[in-house]
Structure formats: structure tokens, C-alpha cells
């Protein structure tokens, strides 16, 4: 919208660079171009403002497929007014000289023109397409058909309008149909999820079984090795007992042999000692066989005296002395008697 200010009965217009201004004064064209700024009198001026920038037009309409299913089409058309003079001549772009606002609705007219044209070509395509095909490949087909329809539409160049781009956002069925179409996909997805869950469980069970088998095999192997260990311990114990018994037998044999040898040696020593003693006794007897008995008595007394305890002091009583003298006095007779005997 143009910016118009009032000063002392005059009006000053200042337009944006994207707005094409046409100023007619008393039926003649006084100013024309984008982004103008000038003074004018409201009573003698006729102003038109045509936007020349690119504009986006969102449209939404319903269509029916070949299998009688309603679908909604959402599209966006980008257009511009490439010939402002032609557009101003064909459409009402006049503005109020006091406010700068459009007196008509030119942009709505352009939107209706573009929407009806796009809808006509989209309906033509979808009427020959089934719902499944429209949902799968209908976006590209509708976009191409709408773009071609705009290019062949004679009203657009005659109005000074150029379509820059066409985008089809989506083609959607009715909510009930969409839910019905989603159901098989959801069920399939759920089945895939269930199958994946079952497969994971199966894999988990298989792994648990493998783990259990490994544990059982480990226990069996451990038991087998324990059995071997017990057998080996028994064998080792038996061998130690046999070796100990053999060692004890060898030790006993050695001890018996030593005892026998010692007994023999002791017997031989005793025999030799006895023989030596007997030989000494015989020699002693042989020596004393030819000795006088008196001499033997003297030797015996001497030997007896040697074995008597040592007398440190001797006290003789009169009785003892008298008896000894009596014996000494009677000794020759006794001795003679003994010798005679």
C-alpha cells in the first residue's frame, strides 16, 4: 500500500521499490514506474499501484480419483506481475488518493484465477488416477500437469501475470480412508515388530541354551577330571604305601641282618673272651699246681690283705691281746698238726 500524506490541499505519494505506480492526471499519464515519489492533487489524480514482487499463493481444494475416492490437494504457486500496465488495465489496482488503499480486490481476483486454473488441471489428472496411484505418484503428476496448464493458459499473459513455480505439497485422502489405509501398514509394521521380537527371543533362548550346554559340558568335564584326580590320588597313595612297605621291608631286612651280624660278633667275642679266660685260668692253674701249699696260703693272705679296707688306727683290748698271744703260743702245735695231716 502506498504511503500518502496530506499537506495544504496537496498529497504526497511515496511507493515501495516493489510497487509499480501509475498516475493519471486529467486522463493523461503523468507518472509511471516502481518506487516513485511525487506530489499530486487528489481531485485531479487517478492512481494505480501494481505489486511487481514474487508472491506466494497457497491453495487447497478437493478432487475425486478414478475409484471415486475424495482426496485433498495442497499446492503453492509462485507468481509475479511482469506487465504492470496490462495488469492495471485488466484488473482494478486503483488506490484511494487519500489513504493509499486499493479500492478493489485485485490480488483476490488473481488468486481465484490461479486457483481455478490449477484445480481444473489437477482434477483432470486425478480423475484418471486411482487412489493408490495418486497417493504414490500423484504429487509429481499433478505438479507437472498444473505447470503445463499455466503455461498454456492464455488468460495469464493477457492479464500480465507470469507463474514462476508450482509446488504440490501433499495429496491426502479423507480421514476415514486414511485411517483405513494406515491399518494394513500398521499391522504389517506390528507384525514386523512382533517377528523381530520373536526372533530376538528365539536368539536369546538359543544363546541361553548354548550357555546352559556349555555350563553342563564344563561340569561334565570338571567331574571327569575330578574322577581322574581321585584315581590318580588313589594310585599315588597306593604307590606311596607300596614304596613305604618296600622301604620298611628293606629297613627290617637290614636291621635283622645287622642284628644277626651283631649277635654273631658278640657270640664270637664272648667265645673268644671265654676261651681267653679259660686259657688264662688254665695257665694260672698250671702255674700254681707246682707251688708249695704254704706259699699258696701266703699268697691268699696277701690277696686278702690287698682287698681288706685300709685301717688308719687299731685299738687292742687286753682280751684281744691275750687271745692273740694264746693263739700264737699254740700255733706251732697247730701248725705241726696241720702239716702232719
Amino acid at each position: 500500500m502506498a504511503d500518502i500524506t496530506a499537506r495544504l490541499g496537496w498529497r504526497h505519494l511515496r511507493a515501495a521499490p516493489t510497487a509499480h505506480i501509475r498516475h493519471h492526471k486529467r486522463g493523461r499519464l503523468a507518472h509511471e514506474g516502481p518506487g516513485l515519489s511525487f506530489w499530486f492533487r487528489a481531485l485531479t489524480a487517478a492512481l494505480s499501484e501494481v505489486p511487481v514482487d514474487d508472491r506466494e499463493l497457497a491453495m487447497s481444494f478437493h478432487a475425486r480419483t478414478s475409484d471415486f475416492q475424495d482426496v485433498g490437494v495442497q499446492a503453492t504457486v509462485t507468481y509475479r506481475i511482469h506487465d504492470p500496465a496490462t495488469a492495471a488495465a485488466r484488473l482494478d489496482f486503483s488506490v484511494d488518493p487519500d489513504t493509499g488503499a486499493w479500492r478493489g480486490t485485485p490480488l483476490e481476483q488473481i488468486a481465484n484465477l490461479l486457483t481455478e486454473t490449477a484445480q481444473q488441471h489437477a482434477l483432470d489428472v486425478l480423475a484418471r488416477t486411482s487412489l493408490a496411484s495418486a497417493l504414490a505418484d500423484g504429487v509429481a503428476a499433478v505438479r507437472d500437469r498444473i505447470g503445463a496448464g499455466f503455461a498454456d493458459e492464455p488468460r495469464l499473459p493477457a492479464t500480465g501475470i507470469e507463474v514462476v513455480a508450482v509446488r504440490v505439497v501433499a495429496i491426502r485422502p479423507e480421514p476415514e480412508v486414511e485411517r483405513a489405509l494406515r491399518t494394513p501398514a500398521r499391522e504389517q509394521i506390528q507384525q514386523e515388530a512382533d517377528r523381530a521380537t520373536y526372533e530376538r527371543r528365539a536368539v536369546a533362548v538359543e544363546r541361553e541354551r548354548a550357555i546352559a550346554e556349555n555350563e553342563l559340558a564344563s561340569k561334565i568335564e570338571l567331574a571327569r577330571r575330578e574322577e581322574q584326580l581321585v584315581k590318580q590320588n588313589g594310585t599315588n597313595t597306593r604307590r606311596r604305601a607300596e614304596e613305604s612297605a618296600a622301604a620298611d621291608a628293606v629297613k627290617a631286612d637290614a636291621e635283622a641282618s645287622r642284628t644277626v651280624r651283631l649277635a654273631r660278633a658278640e657270640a664270637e667275642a664272648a667265645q673268644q673272651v671265654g676261651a681267653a679266660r679259660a686259657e688264662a685260668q688254665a695257665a694260672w692253674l698250671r702255674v700254681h699246681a707246682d707251688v708249695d701249699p704254704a706259699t699258696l696260703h701266703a699268697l691268699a693272705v696277701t690277696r686278702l690283705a690287698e682287698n681288706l679296707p685300709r685301717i688308719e688306727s687299731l685299738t687292742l683290748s687286753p682280751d684281744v691281746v691275750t687271745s692273740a698271744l694264746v693263739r700264737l703260743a699254740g700255733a706251732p702245735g697247730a701248725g705241726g698238726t696241720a702239716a702232719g695231716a
Side-chain angles (χ1 to χ4, degrees):
M1 185 175 66
D3 183 12
I4 299 177
T5 58
R7 291 291 187 275
L8 301 176
W10 289 82
R11 301 291 187 271
H12 182 268
L13 182 143
R14 184 173 59 189
T18 57
H20 186 91
I21 302 297
R22 289 173 61 84
H23 173 212
H24 289 80
K25 182 179 180 180
R26 294 187 180 93
R28 295 191 307 269
L29 184 62
H31 299 90
E32 183 179 14
L36 295 181
S37 178
F38 55 88
W39 290 91
F40 66 93
R41 293 185 66 89
L43 296 177
T44 60
L47 302 175
S48 297
E49 182 183 7
V50 180
V52 294
D53 57 336
D54 290 351
R55 292 181 172 265
E56 299 286 339
L57 175 61
M59 56 183 67
S60 177
F61 49 85
H62 289 275
R64 180 170 293 183
T65 61
S66 60
D67 48 1
F68 303 101
Q69 297 297 325
D70 291 335
V71 294
V73 180
Q74 296 178 1
T76 302
V77 176
T78 304
Y79 70 94
R80 73 165 64 99
I81 300 176
H82 69 94
D83 189 352
T86 303
R90 299 293 300 272
L91 299 174
D92 185 9
F93 282 98
S94 62
V95 297
D96 189 327
D98 293 326
T99 62
W102 279 316
R103 292 176 175 175
T105 56
L107 296 182
E108 293 183 5
Q109 295 177 2
I110 296 175
N112 292 333
L113 174 61
L114 296 177
T115 302
E116 291 175 358
T117 303
Q119 184 175 5
Q120 177 182 356
H121 294 287
L123 292 176
D124 189 26
V125 173
L126 294 175
R128 298 183 177 89
T129 307
S130 63
L131 177 62
S133 300
L135 296 178
D137 304 323
V139 172
V142 172
R143 182 187 64 243
D144 295 341
R145 182 60 180 273
I146 293 175
F150 282 144
D152 296 337
E153 179 61 39
R155 294 178 58 189
L156 297 181
T159 314
I161 301 173
E162 178 185 4
V163 175
V164 179
V166 176
R167 297 186 302 276
V168 176
V169 180
I171 297 177
R172 296 184 178 276
E174 294 294 325
E176 295 80 5
V177 178
E178 188 173 4
R179 285 194 296 269
L181 292 175
R182 288 178 180 176
T183 301
R186 289 182 177 178
E187 291 179 354
Q188 184 176 1
I189 294 173
Q190 185 64 38
Q191 291 176 1
E192 293 292 335
D194 294 341
R195 181 164 59 252
T197 302
Y198 296 151
E199 290 177 356
R200 287 196 299 270
R201 291 179 179 177
V203 171
V205 171
E206 182 65 22
R207 289 179 179 176
E208 291 178 358
R209 185 186 62 80
I211 292 173
E213 290 181 354
N214 292 334
E215 292 179 352
L216 182 60
S218 299
K219 292 181 179 180
I220 293 174
E221 180 65 20
L222 181 62
R224 186 178 63 81
R225 292 187 179 183
E226 288 180 354
E227 182 181 1
Q228 292 178 353
L229 181 60
V230 171
K231 290 182 179 179
Q232 188 64 37
N233 289 334
T235 302
N236 295 337
T237 303
R238 184 171 60 256
R239 287 181 179 178
R240 284 195 294 269
E242 291 176 355
E243 291 178 359
S244 178
D248 293 340
V250 172
K251 184 177 180 180
D253 292 342
E255 187 68 23
S257 178
R258 178 176 173 277
T259 303
V260 171
R261 289 195 301 270
L262 183 61
R264 288 178 181 178
E266 291 178 352
E268 291 178 357
Q271 185 179 2
Q272 291 178 1
V273 168
R277 289 179 178 177
E279 184 66 24
Q281 188 69 26
W284 188 81
L285 292 175
R286 286 195 302 269
V287 169
H288 292 80
D290 298 331
V291 177
D292 185 29
T295 303
L296 294 176
H297 290 165
L299 292 173
V301 172
T302 301
R303 180 68 57 84
L304 180 61
E306 293 177 351
N307 295 326
L308 289 174
R310 183 178 177 179
I311 300 173
E312 298 292 336
S313 62
L314 180 63
T315 301
L316 298 176
S317 63
D319 294 335
V320 173
V321 172
T322 301
S323 178
L325 292 176
V326 173
R327 290 181 182 180
L328 290 175
T337 302

